[in-house]
């Protein structure tokens, strides 16, 4: 660990922290990931965000101070916060995605911290799958590198709605505006191919410039701080675009039939339980059940409110929106079970027994084209057989290559034939109904992640 | 199709455009996880201790499954060294909900000889793993839902929401299943099982805010009360029949509350005057000490003690 990876006590005071943290967050929740290696100052950036927003408590800090001293470091090494496991310390590696939390009082944040070296693609794809925003770190001294392109490609592949390119270590280039502009121009030239929405920001994670506080050294930059960018990004459930206007996608997770209830009113109760993955649903609206194609109307929407308990008629709602877990009651008695999907009348998903997708292989055992795998898509499972590999992406050059099998961390364009029909959207249209995982039935392990399109 | 879509698009009312608060989002995620357990697992159980995190789980289970019954029994592994108030609360809450509560006791495992204490005074906390695995085997549970949170501890920070355990109940941090989107893989073979943590993404503050919002009842020892205390290693050790004062101890009567409630021998209260949930939220928002740091008499022995216990089948 280099000395520049350690943190000096923050110049930024947290005088307002008490009032900040005590206020109830009201602008929802944002999930983001940080892309970069230790050398880019990723751990320092996460440490800085946690520290300046009081996401690290004193005893945790003291524990890593003690460890830093034991290792002969002159300052606190915040990467110790994210490299926690004994198994990792023994091997000197970071195993896996770790999740960190902080709150500003207006918004709660979940950071997915994917390690930069080992199994990078697999870890970043995992962390990116739930992220609303990605921060791509560039070392101001080194500029746009191969890994920058790789991170950006994966962010695009995983359809993360917003990217922030943070040019870090500005302190080591004398806070030079020209250097920042040079890197921005380089990045934009390359990002044009990818068609992504990017914000640029100069920072020094080490000194805390432009993270939570503006600092004094970047006076030429008049844009928002990193935290301001995070605070204003669309929240989890509204990510990307106006999701409530999208067509309804409601995969059925569980059917509630309390026939044995003491309450006779419940003998005919049939509640379809699930989460509104896209769009919204209102009482009286027409819906279609897939794959059967049967149509009906929504009779009731239920979610126990804070005041309601378990009596049969409490918790009724007029509408449910994207992200909410509710129970739907329908007008007609239609045979519906887990794995079916209730959708809006327009813009129906495609019901298909063949899918084309970008596939990231996650397992140490290579993809075997002769074997049957299990695909889990929303709440539905189907046996699947590989139909073909169109090409594999070289993650460094981004070129397409011929391939006959896939190894861990490979990304490829593939097609599968399915035993059961799935109701799919393209992944770029709807993450929830465009994504699937591949399961190896022999080991029960999750071995692949797919994006339909 | 397009014309139809335009005319059929419903007017977006205020409820449709409102943003979900962070608690709404966390609640919806947890309900989704609970329903995935019900949909994918054949014999799940929900671990209910009477503590605040599992009290939240029960509320989430109500939201997930009412007006039906829970598709799982409640399970408590009792060390025999729990506070009476918490055990009474546990029994009362299970009865109010009309759900089945299974209690398995570390003392029974000791009587069977499957738990052997190194000394009579040794904490039974880590031995809960043995009793838990025995209960899993006895009932054939293929999933145990628990209230662990990732903000509690660094081993937890890297654990999956659906965490696979082998037939010895072991967690292998190097061999975890990738967990993408909200597509959870709960498949397990005979003798293996899943541990499922629906409130993985909640912090201590989120839990208290949810308790306030849902007006959830808690055991009384979560609120400030007077209690005989001995100061040990910077922590407040409660003086009880199980943990009597030692010669030379100075016993003080302090106003304290518990931030976390568990085995008496390893859970310490903190000084507090908070007698309401709102007051606790204020204290939680400004505390400088983490929940486990302030309260665990056991985890401070080694940097890796939670990780070690998890590898041995702990919750």
């Amino acid at each position: 660990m280099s000395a520049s990876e350690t943190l000096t006590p923050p110049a930024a005071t947290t005088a307002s922290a008490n009032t900040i943290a005590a206020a109830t967050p009201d602008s929802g929740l944002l999930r983001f990931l940080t892309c970069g290696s230790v050398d880019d100052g990723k751990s320092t950036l996460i440490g800085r965000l946690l520290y300046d927003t009081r996401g690290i408590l004193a005893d945790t800090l003291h524990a890593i101070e003690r460890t830093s001293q034991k290792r002969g470091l002159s300052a606190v090494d915040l990467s110790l916060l994210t490299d926690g496991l004994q198994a990792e310390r023994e091997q000197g590696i970071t195993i896996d995605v770790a999740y960190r939390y902080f709150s500003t009082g207006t918004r709660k944040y979940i950071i997915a911290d994917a390690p930069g070296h080992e199994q990078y693609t697999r870890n970043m794809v995992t962390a990116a799958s739930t992220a609303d925003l990605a921060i791509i770190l560039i070392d101001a001294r080194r500029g746009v590198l191969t890994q920058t392109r790789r991170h950006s490609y994966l962010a695009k592949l995983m359809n993360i709605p917003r990217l922030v390119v943070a040019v870090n270590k500005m302190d080591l280039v004398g806070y030079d505006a020209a250097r920042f502009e040079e890197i921005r121009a380089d990045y934009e030239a390359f990002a044009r191919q990818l068609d992504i929405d990017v914000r640029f920001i100069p920072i020094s994670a080490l000194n805390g410039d432009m993270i939570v506080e503006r600092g004094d050294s970047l006076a030429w930059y008049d844009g928002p701080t990193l935290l301001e960018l995070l605070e204003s990004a669309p929240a989890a459930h509204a990510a990307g675009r106006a999701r409530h206007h999208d067509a309804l996608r409601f995969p059925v997770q569980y059917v509630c039939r309390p026939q044995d209830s003491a309450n006779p009113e419940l003998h005919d109760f049939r509640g379809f339980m699930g989460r509104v993955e896209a769009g919204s649903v209102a009482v009286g609206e027409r819906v279609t059940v897939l794959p059967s194609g049967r149509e009906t109307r929504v009779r009731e929407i239920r979610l126990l409110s804070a005041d309601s308990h378990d009596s049969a008629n409490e918790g009724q709602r007029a509408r449910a929106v994207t992200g909410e877990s509710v129970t739907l009651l329908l007008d007609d008695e239609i045979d519906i079970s887990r794995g079916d999907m209730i959708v809006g009348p327009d813009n129906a998903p495609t019901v298909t027994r063949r899918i084309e997708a970008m596939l990231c292989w996650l397992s140490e055992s290579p993809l075997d084209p002769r074997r049957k795998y299990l695909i889990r898509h929303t709440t539905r499972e189907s046996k699947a057989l590989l139909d073909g590999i169109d090409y594999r992406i070289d993650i460094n050059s981004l070129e397409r290559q011929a391939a006959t099998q896939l190894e861990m961390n490979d990304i490829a364009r593939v097609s599968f034939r399915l035993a059961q029909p799935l109701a799919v959207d393209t992944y770029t249209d709807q993450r929830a109904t465009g994504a699937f995982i591949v399961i190896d039935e022999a080991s029960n392990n999750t071995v692949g992640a797919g994006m339909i399109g | 199709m397009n014309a139809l879509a335009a005319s059929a698009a419903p007017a977006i009312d205020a409820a449709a455009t409102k943003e979900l608060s962070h608690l709404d989002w966390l609640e919806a995620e947890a309900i989704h996880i609970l329903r995935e357990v019900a949909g994918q697992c054949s014999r799940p159980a929900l671990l209910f201790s009477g503590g605040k995190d599992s009290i939240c789980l029960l509320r989430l289970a109500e939201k997930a499954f009412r007006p039906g019954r829970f598709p799982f029994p409640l399970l408590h592994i009792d060390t025999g060294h729990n506070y009476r108030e918490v055990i009474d609360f546990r029994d009362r809450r299970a009865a109010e909900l009309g759900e089945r509560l299974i209690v398995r006791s570390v003392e029974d495992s000791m009587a069977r000889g499957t738990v052997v204490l190194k000394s009579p005074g040794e904490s039974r906390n880590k031995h809960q793993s043995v009793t838990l695995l025995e209960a899993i085997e006895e009932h054939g549970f293929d999933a145990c839902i628990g209230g662990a949170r990732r903000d509690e501890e660094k081993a937890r920070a890297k654990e999956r929401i659906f965490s696979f355990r082998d037939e010895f109940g072991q967690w292998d941090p190097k061999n975890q299943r990738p967990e993408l989107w909200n597509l959870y893989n709960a498949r397990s073979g005979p003798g293996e099982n899943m541990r499922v943590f629906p409130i993985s993404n909640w912090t201590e503050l989120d839990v208290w805010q949810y308790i306030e919002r849902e007006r959830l009842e808690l055991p009384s020892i979560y609120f400030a009360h007077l209690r005989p205390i001995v100061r040990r290693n910077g922590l407040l050790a409660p003086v009880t029949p199980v943990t009597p004062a030692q010669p030379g101890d100075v016993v003080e009567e302090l106003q304290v509350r518990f931030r976390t409630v568990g085995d008496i021998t390893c859970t310490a209260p903190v000084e507090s005057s908070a007698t309401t949930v709102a007051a606790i939220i204020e204290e939680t928002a400004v505390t400088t000490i983490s929940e486990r740091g302030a309260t665990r008499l056991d985890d401070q022995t080694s940097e890796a003690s939670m990780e070690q216990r998890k590898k041995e089948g702990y919750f």
Side-chain angles (χ1 to χ4, degrees):
Chain A
M1 190 75 34
S2 67
S4 66
E5 267 310 296
T6 59
L7 182 93
T8 49
T13 60
T14 50
S16 55
N18 293 7
T19 43
I20 283 178
T24 305
D26 57 10
S27 63
L29 182 145
L30 188 83
R31 304 191 69 158
F32 68 94
L33 87 154
T34 47
C35 314
S37 65
V38 170
D39 307 329
D40 304 317
K42 179 166 66 89
S43 305
T44 313
L45 174 64
I46 293 173
R48 174 60 71 185
L49 273 170
L50 294 174
Y51 197 48
D52 287 2
T53 57
R54 291 182 86 258
I56 307 174
L57 296 176
D59 60 326
T60 312
L61 195 63
H62 290 154
I64 62 170
E65 270 169 8
R66 279 198 303 274
T67 309
S68 302
Q69 279 166 8
K70 248 191 288 183
R71 295 185 185 182
L73 302 170
S74 57
V76 179
D77 178 0
L78 276 161
S79 71
L80 294 170
L81 271 178
T82 51
D83 296 349
L85 300 181
Q86 188 178 39
E88 294 171 320
R89 287 194 296 275
E90 282 163 2
Q91 296 173 39
I93 58 161
T94 308
I95 287 168
D96 210 287
V97 183
Y99 297 90
R100 307 286 154 190
Y101 305 86
F102 70 97
S103 172
T104 54
T106 47
R107 183 171 265 189
K108 176 187 164 90
Y109 293 91
I110 304 178
I111 311 176
D113 177 22
H117 300 304
E118 298 286 319
Q119 303 170 2
Y120 190 77
T121 301
R122 169 184 145 140
N123 286 321
M124 182 171 159
V125 164
T126 301
S129 71
T130 52
D132 309 302
L133 180 148
I135 299 173
I136 294 183
L137 275 168
I138 294 179
D139 182 333
R141 296 167 304 174
R142 299 199 291 168
V144 175
L145 302 176
T146 302
Q147 69 162 18
T148 316
R149 297 196 180 89
R150 190 168 67 203
H151 296 153
S152 305
Y153 171 75
L154 290 174
K156 171 72 178 172
L157 178 76
M158 299 306 292
N159 200 23
I160 298 175
R162 183 166 290 192
L163 292 195
V164 174
V165 172
V167 180
N168 189 26
K169 304 197 181 181
M170 288 301 295
D171 52 311
L172 298 182
V173 295
Y175 293 102
D176 182 13
R179 179 62 184 146
F180 174 70
E181 290 305 331
E182 187 184 4
I183 291 170
R184 181 214 288 258
D186 271 4
Y187 188 93
E188 280 177 338
F190 135 80
R192 260 194 292 278
Q193 312 159 28
L194 290 179
D195 181 29
I196 32 186
D197 173 20
V198 187
R199 312 292 154 100
F200 294 86
I201 180 168
I203 62 170
S204 166
L206 189 68
N207 296 333
D209 298 309
M210 238 24 105
I211 312 289
V212 175
E213 308 289 331
R214 297 192 71 83
D216 300 322
S217 307
L218 289 163
W220 48 265
Y221 169 79
D222 56 8
T225 63
L226 183 61
L227 188 65
E228 285 165 352
L229 279 175
L230 296 175
E231 293 275 273
S232 62
H237 52 281
R241 50 210 179 97
R243 293 272 296 272
H244 302 323
H245 297 267
D246 289 0
L248 172 68
R249 299 289 184 263
F250 187 86
V252 176
Q253 290 186 274
Y254 191 74
V255 181
C256 176
R257 300 207 61 178
Q259 298 108 315
D260 61 341
S261 164
N263 180 352
E265 280 176 37
L266 291 177
H267 287 182
D268 296 323
F269 185 95
R270 295 215 305 161
F272 303 103
M273 298 175 151
R275 194 171 186 184
V276 181
E277 296 286 6
S280 65
V281 59
V283 170
E285 279 181 357
R286 230 155 34 86
V287 291
T288 304
V289 181
L290 297 177
S292 75
R294 296 281 305 273
E295 290 186 17
T296 182
R297 279 179 195 278
V298 176
R299 196 175 77 214
E300 280 180 36
I301 300 171
R302 292 185 176 214
L303 171 63
L304 289 184
S305 65
D307 310 315
S308 60
H309 288 272
D310 56 357
S311 91
N313 292 312
E314 287 184 64
Q316 296 205 19
R317 302 270 300 260
R319 177 180 286 270
V321 299
T322 308
E324 289 190 299
S325 289
V326 296
T327 300
L328 300 185
L329 280 70
L330 303 176
D331 267 351
D332 301 290
E333 230 177 79
I334 300 178
D335 183 28
I336 301 175
S337 49
R338 175 177 167 85
D340 290 348
M341 198 187 298
I342 297 172
V343 304
D346 307 305
N347 261 325
T350 308
V351 178
T352 178
R353 284 177 195 269
R354 187 174 185 283
I355 50 174
E356 293 181 24
M358 296 302 289
L359 179 70
C360 180
W361 198 249
L362 308 170
S363 168
E364 284 171 11
S365 335
L367 167 74
D368 184 342
R370 297 159 308 174
R371 281 187 57 193
K372 287 192 186 67
Y373 289 92
L374 204 59
I375 279 183
R376 177 190 295 284
H377 170 264
T378 66
T379 56
R380 197 172 178 87
E381 279 185 358
S382 170
K383 287 199 194 304
L385 202 54
L386 187 76
D387 214 14
I389 304 175
D390 280 1
Y391 55 84
R392 183 174 57 199
I393 295 278
D394 180 316
I395 194 68
N396 293 318
S397 68
L398 304 185
E399 284 168 4
R400 298 174 178 187
Q401 305 169 331
T404 52
Q405 68 159 39
L406 299 179
E407 314 255 352
M408 184 158 71
N409 294 317
D410 277 350
I411 290 171
R413 174 96 188 153
V414 302
S415 48
F416 282 104
R417 277 183 289 138
L418 308 168
Q420 302 288 327
L422 301 180
V424 306
D425 292 293
T426 63
Y427 182 76
T428 45
D429 276 352
Q430 289 299 349
R431 256 183 179 182
T433 43
F436 63 89
I437 56 172
V438 182
I439 296 169
D440 181 335
E441 276 190 288
S443 65
N444 283 331
N445 208 352
T446 303
V447 293
M451 286 73 68
I452 295 167
Chain B
M1 181 77 182
N2 281 342
L4 223 179
S7 62
I12 303 298
D13 64 24
T17 48
K18 83 162 180 145
E19 303 250 310
L20 301 190
S21 73
H22 80 294
L23 286 181
D24 294 334
W25 191 93
L26 291 170
E27 178 189 74
E29 179 188 52
I31 293 171
H32 176 262
I33 291 163
L34 286 169
R35 288 170 173 170
E36 280 306 290
V37 175
Q40 293 192 43
C41 302
S42 47
R43 292 183 73 83
L46 186 148
L47 297 165
F48 178 55
S49 63
K52 68 181 189 311
D53 300 308
S54 58
I55 286 169
C56 287
L57 284 185
L58 287 190
R59 180 61 177 155
L60 293 162
E62 283 186 272
K63 297 216 182 195
F65 301 112
R66 293 296 186 234
R69 290 170 58 86
F70 295 174
F72 36 69
L74 314 180
L75 172 64
H76 184 222
I77 305 303
D78 189 349
T79 61
H81 285 170
N82 285 297
Y83 288 100
R84 193 68 246 163
E85 296 91 332
V86 179
I87 296 302
D88 290 347
F89 180 91
R90 175 198 75 188
D91 294 343
R92 185 160 53 79
R93 192 76 194 104
E96 282 166 2
L97 287 166
E99 301 292 343
R100 180 173 165 227
L101 171 69
I102 300 169
V103 177
R104 289 295 174 267
S105 141
V106 174
E107 284 164 349
D108 288 341
S109 300
M110 288 160 59
R112 274 193 292 274
T114 48
V115 165
V116 180
L117 300 184
K118 291 196 187 89
S119 68
E122 190 197 0
S123 169
R124 298 169 180 179
N125 191 56
K126 73 168 202 171
H127 297 292
Q128 291 179 89
S129 306
V130 174
T131 311
L132 174 63
L133 294 177
E134 287 171 352
I136 286 171
E137 192 174 344
E138 176 191 349
H139 294 276
F141 293 132
D142 59 352
C144 291
I145 301 160
R149 311 187 317 263
R150 284 173 174 155
D151 80 321
E152 283 180 272
E153 211 276 338
K154 59 194 172 191
R156 301 234 200 251
K158 295 201 170 181
E159 188 166 11
R160 300 289 184 262
I161 291 173
F162 281 68
S163 181
F164 174 76
R165 303 300 176 93
D166 68 13
E167 55 187 322
F168 298 99
Q170 297 180 102
W171 178 57
D172 180 358
K174 284 180 286 186
N175 193 24
Q176 300 194 76
R177 288 180 186 168
E179 196 161 79
L180 294 101
W181 299 289
N182 56 6
L183 297 174
Y184 302 108
N185 172 3
R187 297 173 72 89
S188 60
E192 302 166 343
N193 77 88
M194 302 301 294
R195 305 291 169 80
V196 184
F197 304 112
I199 60 169
S200 286
N201 285 325
W202 298 39
T203 61
E204 185 187 13
L205 185 60
D206 297 328
V207 166
W208 282 109
Q209 289 174 335
Y210 192 69
I211 287 167
E212 181 181 53
R213 188 182 89 169
E214 301 291 319
R215 292 193 279 282
L216 302 182
E217 202 188 327
L218 293 174
S220 57
I221 63 173
Y222 276 111
F223 300 98
H225 58 284
L226 286 173
R227 181 176 287 277
I229 291 293
V230 171
R231 294 179 191 270
R232 277 202 190 104
N233 304 326
L235 295 175
L236 307 180
V239 178
T240 69
V242 178
T243 53
Q246 303 298 311
D249 276 351
V250 181
V251 180
E252 301 170 68
E253 185 94 345
L254 292 180
Q255 196 179 33
V256 297
R257 66 177 171 91
F258 285 89
R259 279 174 75 180
T260 183
V261 159
D263 187 90
I264 292 172
T265 62
C266 63
T267 322
V270 294
E271 285 197 81
S272 169
S273 57
T275 54
T276 64
V277 174
I280 292 172
I281 288 174
E282 268 181 47
E283 286 189 3
T284 306
V286 300
T287 183
T288 57
I289 308 290
S290 66
E291 183 176 333
R292 298 194 79 84
T295 61
R296 298 304 290 205
L297 295 162
D298 54 344
D299 270 358
Q300 300 194 322
T301 47
S302 127
E303 262 191 274
S305 44
M306 171 66 83
E307 183 183 353
Q308 203 52 46
R309 285 205 305 274
K310 277 185 169 291
K311 287 181 184 167
E312 290 162 7
Y314 197 73
F315 300 126

